[in-house]
Amino acid sequence: MKFKTICNCFYFMLLAVSLPASAQTAGLQNPFSPDLALDPENSGVVEVVAISDMPTVTDAQSAVLQTREQQISKGWVEVNEKRARVVEDYVSDARNKLNADMEAVRESIHSQPADVSGTFLEKASFVGAFPVGGFVDGRWTGVVRVFESSDLGRVVLEEYDYKRAGSHIMIPSEVVDSYANGYPVLYAVLRAGDNHAHTDITWFTDNKQFRMRNGNAILKSDMSYESVEQAINSLR
C-alpha cells in the first residue's frame, strides 16, 4: 500500500502525528513524532499528553508553549502579515486547486465530507474544494472546502480521516483550549497589527480531524463564536 500525507496546519507543530512504518510520507515537518512501529496499537488514535511526556524535547516545544501563552495573555498571537492573510489570499493562491464541482471531488476521497446542514455554513456560498490528507488505496483521506459566509466571511474548512489513514496524533495538554465531545479543541487568533487577522480552530471526532480557518478575528467573547462553537459540536 502506498501512502502519502499532506498536512497544512497552523497547529501541526503542536501535534505529534505518526504514520504506519510502511508509509511513504511527504510534506511532514513535525518535531513530535512517536514511532508507530514500536507501538502499532495506537494507530488511529488521538492522545492528550503533557509536553514533558512527548517523545522528544526540542526548541520547537518551547515555541509552542510561548505561542499558547501569548494567546491566553493577549487574546491573539502576533504573526507576520503573510501568515495573517492566509485566509484572505486562499482563493487566489495558485497552490490551492479549488474545484467548484463537489461531486468530482467526492469521487477522489474515502470518507463522506461532513454535512454542514444545521450550521452557519449551510447558508454560506460554496466556492470550491480539493482533496488532501493521506493517499490510501487510490483515494485521499481528507478534503478542504472553501465557503463565503455573509456573517463570518471566508471560511476554509479542512477535514482529515485520521482513523482511515492510521495516524497516531498526540497533543500537548498545555495547548488544549477546551474540549468538545470528549476531544481537545485548539484555538488561536493570528494577527498582524490592526490590519489583518484570521481565526484558526482545530478539533476532533472519533475518526476525523477538523480545522476551520476564518478570515476574521473571532474572539470567544464575540456572539459570532456561538455559530463556530455550534459547528464544532455538529460536524462529523
Side-chain angles (χ1 to χ4, degrees):
M1 176 183 72
K2 290 187 177 181
F3 188 112
K4 184 186 295 182
T5 293
I6 297 175
C7 185
N8 176 28
C9 181
F10 168 70
Y11 276 115
F12 189 56
M13 67 180 293
L14 313 186
L15 309 179
V17 181
S18 184
L19 305 168
S22 60
Q24 294 183 356
T25 62
L28 294 175
Q29 301 294 327
N30 195 339
F32 311 130
S33 298
D35 187 352
L36 278 184
L38 302 179
D39 193 11
E41 292 183 1
N42 278 327
S43 172
V45 301
V46 176
E47 287 186 279
V48 177
V49 299
I51 203 165
S52 58
D53 292 332
M54 287 290 186
T56 58
V57 177
T58 67
D59 291 341
Q61 292 174 333
S62 298
V64 165
L65 292 179
Q66 291 171 8
T67 297
R68 178 59 183 162
E69 288 168 0
Q70 189 178 155
Q71 175 65 46
I72 293 172
S73 63
K74 299 177 66 174
W76 66 85
V77 179
E78 195 70 33
V79 297
N80 61 44
E81 184 172 321
K82 181 179 180 180
R83 198 170 178 184
R85 289 178 53 95
V86 67
V87 178
E88 291 178 60
D89 298 338
Y90 200 85
V91 174
S92 60
D93 190 331
R95 293 173 298 178
N96 301 321
K97 308 296 184 182
L98 292 174
N99 187 343
D101 184 353
M102 189 61 204
E103 291 306 314
V105 176
R106 287 179 200 272
E107 294 177 1
S108 64
I109 60 179
H110 280 287
S111 300
Q112 185 75 2
D115 185 358
V116 300
S117 300
T119 73
F120 76 94
L121 292 173
E122 181 178 13
K123 297 181 180 179
S125 299
F126 173 70
V127 177
F130 62 96
V132 292
F135 195 71
V136 181
D137 298 331
R139 291 192 179 192
W140 295 92
T141 59
V143 63
V144 176
R145 286 178 285 178
V146 179
F147 300 86
E148 295 287 353
S149 166
S150 58
D151 297 325
L152 297 177
R154 178 169 295 162
V155 177
V156 179
L157 178 66
E158 302 176 32
E159 55 186 279
Y160 165 66
D161 191 337
Y162 66 84
K163 187 78 72 174
R164 178 86 188 193
S167 301
H168 176 197
I169 299 174
M170 296 177 70
I171 301 173
S173 56
E174 292 86 347
V175 303
V176 174
D177 182 82
S178 59
Y179 284 82
N181 302 308
Y183 287 92
V185 177
L186 310 179
Y187 164 87
V189 173
L190 283 67
R191 187 170 132 178
D194 296 326
N195 297 320
H196 303 284
H198 76 270
T199 306
D200 196 324
I201 304 172
T202 297
W203 72 96
F204 302 85
T205 66
D206 290 342
N207 67 308
K208 288 183 179 180
Q209 174 183 327
F210 285 89
R211 181 193 186 196
M212 181 186 291
R213 286 178 288 174
N214 182 279
N216 300 310
I218 303 177
L219 303 181
K220 297 186 74 174
S221 57
D222 296 343
M223 288 189 64
S224 56
Y225 188 78
E226 294 180 7
S227 297
V228 172
E229 196 167 37
Q230 193 266 339
I232 291 172
N233 286 305
S234 301
L235 296 175
R236 292 289 179 271

